[in-house]
Amino acid sequence: QVRLVESGGGSVQAGGSLTLSCTAAGRIFGCMGWFRQGPGKQLEEVAVAYFDVDGATKYGDSVKGRFTVSRDNTENTLYLQMSSLKPEDTGIYTCAANGEWDPFERRCLSLQSWGQGTQVTVSS
């Protein structure tokens, strides 16, 4: 397992933008991504990616076109750029890494490392 630390969360008005960062204490590999849990909701997959393969990215239906997941290999950091934020985007955002990519279902499975989460609050 690798220690992951998220940052960049905060409060923003609807329509605003935030960029979350997930810094790893060691090498991150395999597939990785972001998940969130809103108040009274189950954990939701926001965006997962396997950067070793072009196009191996999957976004949740509710964030398509608004969120972008990316990685900086030099800094060993995973990012989530969020724009046109909505109140329903409110929740605790958690990054995860070192998973196994399923190319058929486009899912990131068996994620080994998880962060503690960062709060994102979007007000109307």
Side-chain angles (χ1 to χ4, degrees):
Q1 291 188 0
V2 174
R3 182 168 179 260
L4 304 176
V5 179
E6 301 93 341
S7 61
S11 298
V12 64
Q13 289 192 329
S17 300
L18 280 175
T19 296
L20 304 182
S21 300
C22 172
T23 302
R27 179 174 173 259
I28 51 176
F29 54 88
C31 57
M32 55 199 73
W34 291 91
F35 299 78
R36 71 183 180 189
Q37 188 164 20
K41 298 181 180 179
Q42 292 186 331
L43 190 68
E44 175 189 6
E45 179 182 284
V46 175
V48 292
Y50 182 46
F51 293 103
D52 290 349
V53 175
D54 288 341
T57 305
K58 181 181 178 183
Y59 293 92
D61 289 339
S62 62
V63 306
K64 283 180 182 177
R66 300 188 297 121
F67 290 12
T68 302
V69 61
S70 61
R71 181 180 69 172
D72 183 325
N73 283 335
T74 302
E75 297 182 359
N76 222 23
T77 302
L78 184 69
Y79 299 99
L80 183 67
Q81 296 174 280
M82 306 184 294
S83 61
S84 302
L85 284 162
K86 305 174 181 180
E88 50 264 43
D89 292 320
T90 294
I92 298 174
Y93 284 70
T94 304
C95 64
N98 301 356
E100 298 180 9
W101 182 252
D102 180 342
F104 302 103
E105 299 292 331
R106 300 178 66 80
R107 297 183 62 191
C108 188
L109 307 174
S110 303
L111 287 152
Q112 299 296 312
S113 301
W114 291 79
Q116 294 298 308
T118 185
Q119 176 71 42
V120 172
T121 302
V122 184
S123 58
S124 57

